[in-house]
Amino acid sequence: MVSKLDKKKQRGENTRKALIKSTIDCLDRLGYAETSINRVLEGVDVSRGALMHHFPSKEDLVIGTVDFLLSRILRHYQQESPNSFPFAQVTHSGNGTLADALVTYWKNIIDTPEGRAFSEIIMATRTDKALSLRISPKLEDWNEQLNQFFLPPGLDEEAIEDVTLTLLIWRSFIRGMIFQQEFHSDPDYIEKIIRKFAMIMEPHLKLAQTQSGT
């Protein structure tokens, strides 16, 4: 039997999720500057008092959204075995090529309401210093977790640094394609750019595999 305390906790969690979902929608449609507590409340059946209980300010709401979005990306990779991407695609031991994997990542993670909302938040940190101070440590920790997840075993210190830089380059590139879309309206052309980038990156990942002996 579910206790009253458990039911209350579940209601609270459902409220948080609904508010974060509405925030993502606002960020995607309106941008960071136009996203406000009132706008978020328009998209969800939650009282202002309930919102303020969970997120006392817009900044707190955005931080909660960032935590959700970063966890979402980690969960996406944790569904696969460690080191399965991007290294498995380079040796064709996984399903498809590196280019296929990057295109899938673009379509399923980056070019989505969640991915575009994340980009809006990151851009806002350039001028919102208070937000930047709160988010930067989360992003650094998240980057470190992703790097450790992807690094193949058996690398020496120099190789680890080289592979880490390579991983950061492809993540930075794929996020940057959000803004590149403003220069190219054809989705097929965006995919061509991503596939060309995969060809450029593939030799570096092959080198990493050679160094690790995998």
mmCIF file of all heavy atoms in Angstrom, residues 133-170:
data_model
loop_
_atom_site.group_PDB
_atom_site.id
_atom_site.type_symbol
_atom_site.label_atom_id
_atom_site.label_comp_id
_atom_site.label_asym_id
_atom_site.label_seq_id
_atom_site.Cartn_x
_atom_site.Cartn_y
_atom_site.Cartn_z
ATOM 1 N N LEU A 133 27.926 31.189 -12.952
ATOM 2 C CA LEU A 133 28.599 30.701 -11.744
ATOM 3 C C LEU A 133 27.951 29.428 -11.217
ATOM 4 O O LEU A 133 28.634 28.551 -10.680
ATOM 5 C CB LEU A 133 28.592 31.782 -10.670
ATOM 6 C CG LEU A 133 29.564 32.941 -10.871
ATOM 7 C CD1 LEU A 133 29.328 34.024 -9.821
ATOM 8 C CD2 LEU A 133 31.012 32.445 -10.789
ATOM 9 N N ARG A 134 26.650 29.308 -11.391
ATOM 10 C CA ARG A 134 25.948 28.132 -10.891
ATOM 11 C C ARG A 134 26.011 26.955 -11.862
ATOM 12 O O ARG A 134 26.007 25.796 -11.437
ATOM 13 C CB ARG A 134 24.483 28.474 -10.586
ATOM 14 C CG ARG A 134 24.314 29.446 -9.442
ATOM 15 C CD ARG A 134 22.851 29.665 -9.092
ATOM 16 N NE ARG A 134 22.210 28.437 -8.602
ATOM 17 C CZ ARG A 134 20.928 28.362 -8.237
ATOM 18 N NH1 ARG A 134 20.166 29.457 -8.313
ATOM 19 N NH2 ARG A 134 20.431 27.233 -7.805
ATOM 20 N N ILE A 135 26.069 27.260 -13.150
ATOM 21 C CA ILE A 135 26.020 26.194 -14.142
ATOM 22 C C ILE A 135 27.407 25.646 -14.489
ATOM 23 O O ILE A 135 27.565 24.441 -14.721
ATOM 24 C CB ILE A 135 25.313 26.692 -15.420
ATOM 25 C CG1 ILE A 135 23.812 26.828 -15.166
ATOM 26 C CG2 ILE A 135 25.552 25.750 -16.595
ATOM 27 C CD1 ILE A 135 23.025 27.296 -16.363
ATOM 28 N N SER A 136 28.420 26.493 -14.520
ATOM 29 C CA SER A 136 29.747 26.066 -14.974
ATOM 30 C C SER A 136 30.274 24.827 -14.245
ATOM 31 O O SER A 136 30.771 23.892 -14.898
ATOM 32 C CB SER A 136 30.746 27.214 -14.845
ATOM 33 O OG SER A 136 30.472 28.210 -15.811
ATOM 34 N N PRO A 137 30.182 24.760 -12.909
ATOM 35 C CA PRO A 137 30.666 23.536 -12.238
ATOM 36 C C PRO A 137 29.904 22.284 -12.669
ATOM 37 O O PRO A 137 30.491 21.201 -12.774
ATOM 38 C CB PRO A 137 30.429 23.836 -10.749
ATOM 39 C CG PRO A 137 30.395 25.331 -10.655
ATOM 40 C CD PRO A 137 29.757 25.775 -11.933
ATOM 41 N N LYS A 138 28.613 22.423 -12.930
ATOM 42 C CA LYS A 138 27.811 21.278 -13.388
ATOM 43 C C LYS A 138 28.292 20.814 -14.764
ATOM 44 O O LYS A 138 28.401 19.607 -15.020
ATOM 45 C CB LYS A 138 26.328 21.660 -13.462
ATOM 46 C CG LYS A 138 25.676 21.971 -12.124
ATOM 47 C CD LYS A 138 24.232 22.406 -12.325
ATOM 48 C CE LYS A 138 23.562 22.753 -11.013
ATOM 49 N NZ LYS A 138 23.349 21.559 -10.172
ATOM 50 N N LEU A 139 28.571 21.766 -15.634
ATOM 51 C CA LEU A 139 29.018 21.418 -16.983
ATOM 52 C C LEU A 139 30.403 20.771 -16.952
ATOM 53 O O LEU A 139 30.665 19.812 -17.699
ATOM 54 C CB LEU A 139 29.049 22.669 -17.861
ATOM 55 C CG LEU A 139 27.699 23.340 -18.140
ATOM 56 C CD1 LEU A 139 27.902 24.600 -18.969
ATOM 57 C CD2 LEU A 139 26.747 22.383 -18.849
ATOM 58 N N GLU A 140 31.284 21.274 -16.104
ATOM 59 C CA GLU A 140 32.619 20.694 -16.005
ATOM 60 C C GLU A 140 32.551 19.262 -15.489
ATOM 61 O O GLU A 140 33.240 18.367 -16.007
ATOM 62 C CB GLU A 140 33.483 21.559 -15.077
ATOM 63 C CG GLU A 140 33.839 22.918 -15.671
ATOM 64 C CD GLU A 140 34.599 23.791 -14.698
ATOM 65 O OE1 GLU A 140 34.981 23.284 -13.611
ATOM 66 O OE2 GLU A 140 34.832 24.967 -15.016
ATOM 67 N N ASP A 141 31.713 19.031 -14.487
ATOM 68 C CA ASP A 141 31.550 17.677 -13.946
ATOM 69 C C ASP A 141 30.940 16.742 -14.996
ATOM 70 O O ASP A 141 31.356 15.591 -15.148
ATOM 71 C CB ASP A 141 30.674 17.722 -12.698
ATOM 72 C CG ASP A 141 30.458 16.339 -12.093
ATOM 73 O OD1 ASP A 141 31.449 15.743 -11.621
ATOM 74 O OD2 ASP A 141 29.307 15.865 -12.081
ATOM 75 N N TRP A 142 29.959 17.261 -15.728
ATOM 76 C CA TRP A 142 29.296 16.478 -16.776
ATOM 77 C C TRP A 142 30.280 16.104 -17.876
ATOM 78 O O TRP A 142 30.306 14.952 -18.341
ATOM 79 C CB TRP A 142 28.137 17.297 -17.334
ATOM 80 C CG TRP A 142 27.403 16.714 -18.491
ATOM 81 C CD1 TRP A 142 26.543 15.649 -18.476
ATOM 82 C CD2 TRP A 142 27.433 17.181 -19.844
ATOM 83 N NE1 TRP A 142 26.030 15.432 -19.747
ATOM 84 C CE2 TRP A 142 26.557 16.350 -20.596
ATOM 85 C CE3 TRP A 142 28.092 18.228 -20.482
ATOM 86 C CZ2 TRP A 142 26.347 16.543 -21.964
ATOM 87 C CZ3 TRP A 142 27.889 18.410 -21.843
ATOM 88 C CH2 TRP A 142 27.029 17.575 -22.561
ATOM 89 N N ASN A 143 31.103 17.068 -18.302
ATOM 90 C CA ASN A 143 32.124 16.788 -19.316
ATOM 91 C C ASN A 143 33.068 15.690 -18.846
ATOM 92 O O ASN A 143 33.440 14.796 -19.602
ATOM 93 C CB ASN A 143 32.919 18.060 -19.627
ATOM 94 C CG ASN A 143 32.506 18.694 -20.940
ATOM 95 O OD1 ASN A 143 32.051 18.026 -21.854
ATOM 96 N ND2 ASN A 143 32.667 19.991 -21.024
ATOM 97 N N GLU A 144 33.465 15.769 -17.579
ATOM 98 C CA GLU A 144 34.383 14.780 -17.025
ATOM 99 C C GLU A 144 33.747 13.394 -17.011
ATOM 100 O O GLU A 144 34.397 12.394 -17.348
ATOM 101 C CB GLU A 144 34.784 15.187 -15.599
ATOM 102 C CG GLU A 144 35.751 14.232 -14.917
ATOM 103 C CD GLU A 144 37.094 14.144 -15.620
ATOM 104 O OE1 GLU A 144 37.469 15.094 -16.337
ATOM 105 O OE2 GLU A 144 37.766 13.105 -15.466
ATOM 106 N N GLN A 145 32.476 13.315 -16.644
ATOM 107 C CA GLN A 145 31.781 12.023 -16.637
ATOM 108 C C GLN A 145 31.704 11.434 -18.051
ATOM 109 O O GLN A 145 31.933 10.228 -18.233
ATOM 110 C CB GLN A 145 30.367 12.184 -16.076
ATOM 111 C CG GLN A 145 30.306 12.437 -14.583
ATOM 112 C CD GLN A 145 28.872 12.432 -14.089
ATOM 113 O OE1 GLN A 145 28.178 11.429 -14.139
ATOM 114 N NE2 GLN A 145 28.428 13.579 -13.604
ATOM 115 N N LEU A 146 31.391 12.257 -19.034
ATOM 116 C CA LEU A 146 31.317 11.770 -20.411
ATOM 117 C C LEU A 146 32.684 11.297 -20.902
ATOM 118 O O LEU A 146 32.799 10.244 -21.547
ATOM 119 C CB LEU A 146 30.785 12.863 -21.335
ATOM 120 C CG LEU A 146 29.280 13.120 -21.330
ATOM 121 C CD1 LEU A 146 28.936 14.205 -22.330
ATOM 122 C CD2 LEU A 146 28.492 11.852 -21.646
ATOM 123 N N ASN A 147 33.722 12.071 -20.585
ATOM 124 C CA ASN A 147 35.062 11.690 -21.027
ATOM 125 C C ASN A 147 35.462 10.345 -20.426
ATOM 126 O O ASN A 147 36.002 9.471 -21.124
ATOM 127 C CB ASN A 147 36.071 12.763 -20.637
ATOM 128 C CG ASN A 147 35.906 14.023 -21.457
ATOM 129 O OD1 ASN A 147 35.364 13.992 -22.564
ATOM 130 N ND2 ASN A 147 36.361 15.153 -20.931
ATOM 131 N N GLN A 148 35.217 10.160 -19.137
ATOM 132 C CA GLN A 148 35.576 8.903 -18.489
ATOM 133 C C GLN A 148 34.772 7.739 -19.062
ATOM 134 O O GLN A 148 35.274 6.616 -19.161
ATOM 135 C CB GLN A 148 35.347 9.011 -16.978
ATOM 136 C CG GLN A 148 36.295 9.955 -16.272
ATOM 137 C CD GLN A 148 37.754 9.586 -16.475
ATOM 138 O OE1 GLN A 148 38.132 8.414 -16.412
ATOM 139 N NE2 GLN A 148 38.588 10.577 -16.743
ATOM 140 N N PHE A 149 33.540 8.010 -19.438
ATOM 141 C CA PHE A 149 32.685 6.965 -20.008
ATOM 142 C C PHE A 149 33.208 6.499 -21.362
ATOM 143 O O PHE A 149 33.167 5.310 -21.688
ATOM 144 C CB PHE A 149 31.256 7.498 -20.148
ATOM 145 C CG PHE A 149 30.259 6.480 -20.614
ATOM 146 C CD1 PHE A 149 29.691 5.585 -19.726
ATOM 147 C CD2 PHE A 149 29.893 6.416 -21.949
ATOM 148 C CE1 PHE A 149 28.775 4.636 -20.158
ATOM 149 C CE2 PHE A 149 28.977 5.476 -22.388
ATOM 150 C CZ PHE A 149 28.413 4.578 -21.488
ATOM 151 N N PHE A 150 33.723 7.442 -22.164
ATOM 152 C CA PHE A 150 34.108 7.137 -23.532
ATOM 153 C C PHE A 150 35.566 6.719 -23.702
ATOM 154 O O PHE A 150 35.907 6.087 -24.698
ATOM 155 C CB PHE A 150 33.861 8.346 -24.438
ATOM 156 C CG PHE A 150 32.415 8.632 -24.682
ATOM 157 C CD1 PHE A 150 31.931 9.924 -24.623
ATOM 158 C CD2 PHE A 150 31.532 7.615 -24.965
ATOM 159 C CE1 PHE A 150 30.591 10.195 -24.845
ATOM 160 C CE2 PHE A 150 30.192 7.866 -25.191
ATOM 161 C CZ PHE A 150 29.726 9.158 -25.134
ATOM 162 N N LEU A 151 36.431 7.103 -22.770
ATOM 163 C CA LEU A 151 37.854 6.819 -22.965
ATOM 164 C C LEU A 151 38.110 5.316 -23.050
ATOM 165 O O LEU A 151 37.710 4.561 -22.156
ATOM 166 C CB LEU A 151 38.679 7.402 -21.815
ATOM 167 C CG LEU A 151 38.919 8.911 -21.836
ATOM 168 C CD1 LEU A 151 39.565 9.353 -20.539
ATOM 169 C CD2 LEU A 151 39.783 9.300 -23.026
ATOM 170 N N PRO A 152 38.779 4.858 -24.098
ATOM 171 C CA PRO A 152 39.126 3.432 -24.170
ATOM 172 C C PRO A 152 40.197 3.100 -23.126
ATOM 173 O O PRO A 152 40.978 3.968 -22.749
ATOM 174 C CB PRO A 152 39.658 3.271 -25.597
ATOM 175 C CG PRO A 152 40.074 4.632 -26.015
ATOM 176 C CD PRO A 152 39.204 5.603 -25.287
ATOM 177 N N PRO A 153 40.235 1.868 -22.648
ATOM 178 C CA PRO A 153 41.219 1.501 -21.625
ATOM 179 C C PRO A 153 42.628 1.414 -22.201
ATOM 180 O O PRO A 153 42.824 1.282 -23.411
ATOM 181 C CB PRO A 153 40.727 0.120 -21.169
ATOM 182 C CG PRO A 153 40.011 -0.431 -22.372
ATOM 183 C CD PRO A 153 39.356 0.754 -23.025
ATOM 184 N N GLY A 154 43.611 1.497 -21.320
ATOM 185 C CA GLY A 154 44.997 1.252 -21.713
ATOM 186 C C GLY A 154 45.742 2.431 -22.284
ATOM 187 O O GLY A 154 46.845 2.269 -22.808
ATOM 188 N N LEU A 155 45.190 3.635 -22.180
ATOM 189 C CA LEU A 155 45.866 4.817 -22.724
ATOM 190 C C LEU A 155 46.852 5.385 -21.705
ATOM 191 O O LEU A 155 46.588 5.387 -20.499
ATOM 192 C CB LEU A 155 44.850 5.893 -23.088
ATOM 193 C CG LEU A 155 43.835 5.572 -24.191
ATOM 194 C CD1 LEU A 155 42.884 6.751 -24.367
ATOM 195 C CD2 LEU A 155 44.534 5.251 -25.503
ATOM 196 N N ASP A 156 47.982 5.899 -22.205
ATOM 197 C CA ASP A 156 48.889 6.593 -21.301
ATOM 198 C C ASP A 156 48.401 8.035 -21.116
ATOM 199 O O ASP A 156 47.415 8.452 -21.735
ATOM 200 C CB ASP A 156 50.326 6.560 -21.815
ATOM 201 C CG ASP A 156 50.499 7.206 -23.198
ATOM 202 O OD1 ASP A 156 49.716 8.127 -23.534
ATOM 203 O OD2 ASP A 156 51.409 6.793 -23.940
ATOM 204 N N GLU A 157 49.088 8.790 -20.280
ATOM 205 C CA GLU A 157 48.626 10.137 -19.917
ATOM 206 C C GLU A 157 48.525 11.057 -21.127
ATOM 207 O O GLU A 157 47.559 11.808 -21.264
ATOM 208 C CB GLU A 157 49.575 10.743 -18.879
ATOM 209 C CG GLU A 157 49.097 12.065 -18.311
ATOM 210 C CD GLU A 157 49.969 12.558 -17.170
ATOM 211 O OE1 GLU A 157 50.614 11.728 -16.512
ATOM 212 O OE2 GLU A 157 50.004 13.789 -16.946
ATOM 213 N N GLU A 158 49.508 10.988 -22.009
ATOM 214 C CA GLU A 158 49.492 11.843 -23.196
ATOM 215 C C GLU A 158 48.333 11.485 -24.116
ATOM 216 O O GLU A 158 47.654 12.353 -24.664
ATOM 217 C CB GLU A 158 50.813 11.713 -23.945
ATOM 218 C CG GLU A 158 50.912 12.629 -25.170
ATOM 219 C CD GLU A 158 52.256 12.518 -25.876
ATOM 220 O OE1 GLU A 158 53.163 11.852 -25.330
ATOM 221 O OE2 GLU A 158 52.389 13.093 -26.975
ATOM 222 N N ALA A 159 48.087 10.184 -24.280
ATOM 223 C CA ALA A 159 46.999 9.734 -25.147
ATOM 224 C C ALA A 159 45.640 10.109 -24.565
ATOM 225 O O ALA A 159 44.720 10.468 -25.297
ATOM 226 C CB ALA A 159 47.081 8.228 -25.345
ATOM 227 N N ILE A 160 45.513 10.033 -23.238
ATOM 228 C CA ILE A 160 44.258 10.417 -22.585
ATOM 229 C C ILE A 160 43.939 11.880 -22.874
ATOM 230 O O ILE A 160 42.803 12.232 -23.199
ATOM 231 C CB ILE A 160 44.333 10.176 -21.064
ATOM 232 C CG1 ILE A 160 44.278 8.668 -20.769
ATOM 233 C CG2 ILE A 160 43.203 10.903 -20.332
ATOM 234 C CD1 ILE A 160 44.487 8.325 -19.317
ATOM 235 N N GLU A 161 44.963 12.728 -22.771
ATOM 236 C CA GLU A 161 44.756 14.150 -23.049
ATOM 237 C C GLU A 161 44.348 14.359 -24.506
ATOM 238 O O GLU A 161 43.439 15.145 -24.800
ATOM 239 C CB GLU A 161 46.021 14.951 -22.751
ATOM 240 C CG GLU A 161 45.850 16.444 -22.992
ATOM 241 C CD GLU A 161 47.103 17.239 -22.679
ATOM 242 O OE1 GLU A 161 48.137 16.622 -22.357
ATOM 243 O OE2 GLU A 161 47.051 18.484 -22.750
ATOM 244 N N ASP A 162 44.986 13.638 -25.420
ATOM 245 C CA ASP A 162 44.682 13.786 -26.844
ATOM 246 C C ASP A 162 43.261 13.327 -27.154
ATOM 247 O O ASP A 162 42.519 14.011 -27.875
ATOM 248 C CB ASP A 162 45.686 12.974 -27.668
ATOM 249 C CG ASP A 162 45.467 13.166 -29.165
ATOM 250 O OD1 ASP A 162 45.646 14.300 -29.636
ATOM 251 O OD2 ASP A 162 45.105 12.187 -29.836
ATOM 252 N N VAL A 163 42.852 12.178 -26.605
ATOM 253 C CA VAL A 163 41.508 11.667 -26.857
ATOM 254 C C VAL A 163 40.458 12.565 -26.225
ATOM 255 O O VAL A 163 39.398 12.816 -26.806
ATOM 256 C CB VAL A 163 41.360 10.224 -26.339
ATOM 257 C CG1 VAL A 163 39.921 9.743 -26.493
ATOM 258 C CG2 VAL A 163 42.296 9.288 -27.095
ATOM 259 N N THR A 164 40.757 13.072 -25.027
ATOM 260 C CA THR A 164 39.816 13.977 -24.362
ATOM 261 C C THR A 164 39.565 15.216 -25.211
ATOM 262 O O THR A 164 38.417 15.654 -25.371
ATOM 263 C CB THR A 164 40.359 14.398 -22.982
ATOM 264 O OG1 THR A 164 40.487 13.237 -22.157
ATOM 265 C CG2 THR A 164 39.410 15.377 -22.299
ATOM 266 N N LEU A 165 40.635 15.764 -25.790
ATOM 267 C CA LEU A 165 40.478 16.922 -26.672
ATOM 268 C C LEU A 165 39.655 16.557 -27.909
ATOM 269 O O LEU A 165 38.801 17.336 -28.354
ATOM 270 C CB LEU A 165 41.849 17.445 -27.098
ATOM 271 C CG LEU A 165 42.648 18.195 -26.028
ATOM 272 C CD1 LEU A 165 44.055 18.494 -26.532
ATOM 273 C CD2 LEU A 165 41.951 19.487 -25.637
ATOM 274 N N THR A 166 39.887 15.376 -28.450
ATOM 275 C CA THR A 166 39.130 14.922 -29.620
ATOM 276 C C THR A 166 37.650 14.818 -29.296
ATOM 277 O O THR A 166 36.786 15.256 -30.073
ATOM 278 C CB THR A 166 39.655 13.564 -30.101
ATOM 279 O OG1 THR A 166 41.038 13.695 -30.461
ATOM 280 C CG2 THR A 166 38.879 13.077 -31.320
ATOM 281 N N LEU A 167 37.318 14.235 -28.146
ATOM 282 C CA LEU A 167 35.925 14.101 -27.735
ATOM 283 C C LEU A 167 35.274 15.466 -27.525
ATOM 284 O O LEU A 167 34.113 15.680 -27.902
ATOM 285 C CB LEU A 167 35.836 13.276 -26.455
ATOM 286 C CG LEU A 167 36.233 11.802 -26.581
ATOM 287 C CD1 LEU A 167 36.326 11.151 -25.204
ATOM 288 C CD2 LEU A 167 35.258 11.044 -27.469
ATOM 289 N N LEU A 168 36.021 16.395 -26.945
ATOM 290 C CA LEU A 168 35.483 17.742 -26.735
ATOM 291 C C LEU A 168 35.240 18.445 -28.068
ATOM 292 O O LEU A 168 34.267 19.193 -28.218
ATOM 293 C CB LEU A 168 36.443 18.563 -25.875
ATOM 294 C CG LEU A 168 36.517 18.182 -24.395
ATOM 295 C CD1 LEU A 168 37.618 18.969 -23.696
ATOM 296 C CD2 LEU A 168 35.181 18.434 -23.704
ATOM 297 N N ILE A 169 36.117 18.197 -29.026
ATOM 298 C CA ILE A 169 35.952 18.822 -30.344
ATOM 299 C C ILE A 169 34.667 18.345 -31.005
ATOM 300 O O ILE A 169 33.887 19.146 -31.535
ATOM 301 C CB ILE A 169 37.166 18.522 -31.240
ATOM 302 C CG1 ILE A 169 38.380 19.324 -30.751
ATOM 303 C CG2 ILE A 169 36.867 18.839 -32.703
ATOM 304 C CD1 ILE A 169 39.689 18.903 -31.387
ATOM 305 N N TRP A 170 34.404 17.019 -30.995
ATOM 306 C CA TRP A 170 33.195 16.570 -31.695
ATOM 307 C C TRP A 170 31.936 16.975 -30.950
ATOM 308 O O TRP A 170 30.919 17.277 -31.580
ATOM 309 C CB TRP A 170 33.260 15.094 -32.056
ATOM 310 C CG TRP A 170 33.104 14.041 -31.001
ATOM 311 C CD1 TRP A 170 34.088 13.265 -30.477
ATOM 312 C CD2 TRP A 170 31.883 13.605 -30.384
ATOM 313 N NE1 TRP A 170 33.559 12.385 -29.555
ATOM 314 C CE2 TRP A 170 32.206 12.565 -29.484
ATOM 315 C CE3 TRP A 170 30.548 13.991 -30.498
ATOM 316 C CZ2 TRP A 170 31.260 11.919 -28.699
ATOM 317 C CZ3 TRP A 170 29.596 13.349 -29.712
ATOM 318 C CH2 TRP A 170 29.962 12.324 -28.825
#
